[in-house]
Every structure is written in structure tokens, then in C-alpha cells.
Amino acid sequence: MADYPALPLWTDAYLSDTDHLTFTEHGVYMRLLMLIWRTPGCRIPNDVTWICRRLRCSDEEYQTLVRPVIEEFCLSTGNYVSQKRLTKQRKWLEDKSEQQRARAKSRWDKEKNVYPADAGQHRSGNASKSKSKSISKSQEEDIDYDEIERGFVQ
């Protein structure tokens, strides 16, 4: 499973940036965005064979469909292909996740200090010293349940 399985998609920005794309090019771009998002480092190798295998396309489809989309919307460092908005969004999510992790750890540490592991004996005493309220079988036979129901015995 990916570190961040949900891909944030700002539909207004996406549609305004890609309004000129064909139906097929939209599909290629979305698959490319998902592939980049799910890959560690939010970037993919700039390797035609690797990209073709992941997108399940032929070399010819890569040249006619994928490469133009990469050239228009992605950044290439020579070794890797990334997408500026995805990289920014991933960084924001990583920072937010780290903040939440630190907050949870802080709460957890506070709770540990409030409730120490060795709580010791309760103020009310030791449970083994309490008196039993159970009755024996012979005492139970002496109870007149009819009188209890009529309210004579408490």
C-alpha cells in the first residue's frame, strides 16, 4: 500500500490546466499523476521502459501519448520525472503527518505521567480484606420467598 493512498485532486485547477487535452490524454495524465504519487519520493525514473511497463503502454503509445504529456506537465531532472503540484502536496502532507505524530506522542507522554504504570494500593484498602456477602446453601433454604414477595421480610 502507498504511504498516502489518497491523491488530493483540486478539480478546478486540474480542469483549467488540462481543458485542451483529448479524452485519451486525460487518461494518460491521470495515470501518470497516480503513478508519480504512489512512487517513493513522489517521482518516477526517467526510463521509457519502466514508464511503459507501469502505464501498460507500448513504445509507440509512449511516443505519441505519454511523452507529450510528460513534456507539458512534468519536470525532468534527467534521472527522474516529477510533477510540481504533486511534490508540493506531498511535502505538505508529510509535514502535517509529522505534526500529528508529535501531537499524539505528546498526549501519550502526558497520559503516561498522569497514570503511572505502578499505581500501588487503592485508598479504599485491599480487596482481599473485604467481607463476603454470599450466603450458604442451608441459609438459602431457610428463606421464605413468599413472605419477601408480600413485603413482610426485608
Side-chain angles (χ1 to χ4, degrees), residues 72-128:
E72 183 174 352
F73 295 105
C74 298
L75 305 170
S76 178
T77 62
N79 294 329
Y80 293 98
V81 174
S82 62
Q83 206 276 345
K84 185 179 175 182
R85 176 70 187 210
L86 285 185
T87 304
K88 181 180 175 184
Q89 192 68 34
R90 171 66 69 96
K91 176 75 172 116
W92 183 85
L93 280 175
E94 288 171 350
D95 292 347
K96 190 74 165 168
S97 179
E98 185 55 41
Q99 290 171 358
Q100 295 295 356
R101 189 179 295 111
R103 285 184 187 136
K105 184 179 181 332
S106 172
R107 281 192 310 272
W108 180 255
D109 290 345
K110 283 180 188 175
E111 288 175 11
K112 278 185 179 178
N113 293 333
V114 172
Y115 306 108
D118 183 14
Q121 193 175 30
H122 293 282
R123 289 182 186 173
S124 62
N126 191 338
S128 64

Side-chain angles (χ1 to χ4, degrees), residues 29-40:
Y29 187 42
M30 284 303 297
R31 288 289 309 255
L32 196 58
L33 289 174
M34 288 186 266
L35 178 62
I36 293 170
W37 182 256
R38 294 178 55 86
T39 305

Side-chain angles (χ1 to χ4, degrees), residues 32 35-55 62 66 70 74-83:
L32 196 58
L35 178 62
I36 293 170
W37 182 256
R38 294 178 55 86
T39 305
C42 204
R43 61 187 188 172
I44 59 174
N46 192 9
D47 177 6
V48 175
T49 306
W50 191 93
I51 295 171
C52 285
R53 180 155 174 77
R54 297 312 184 283
L55 294 180
Y62 176 84
V66 179
I70 289 175
C74 298
L75 305 170
S76 178
T77 62
N79 294 329
Y80 293 98
V81 174
S82 62
Q83 206 276 345

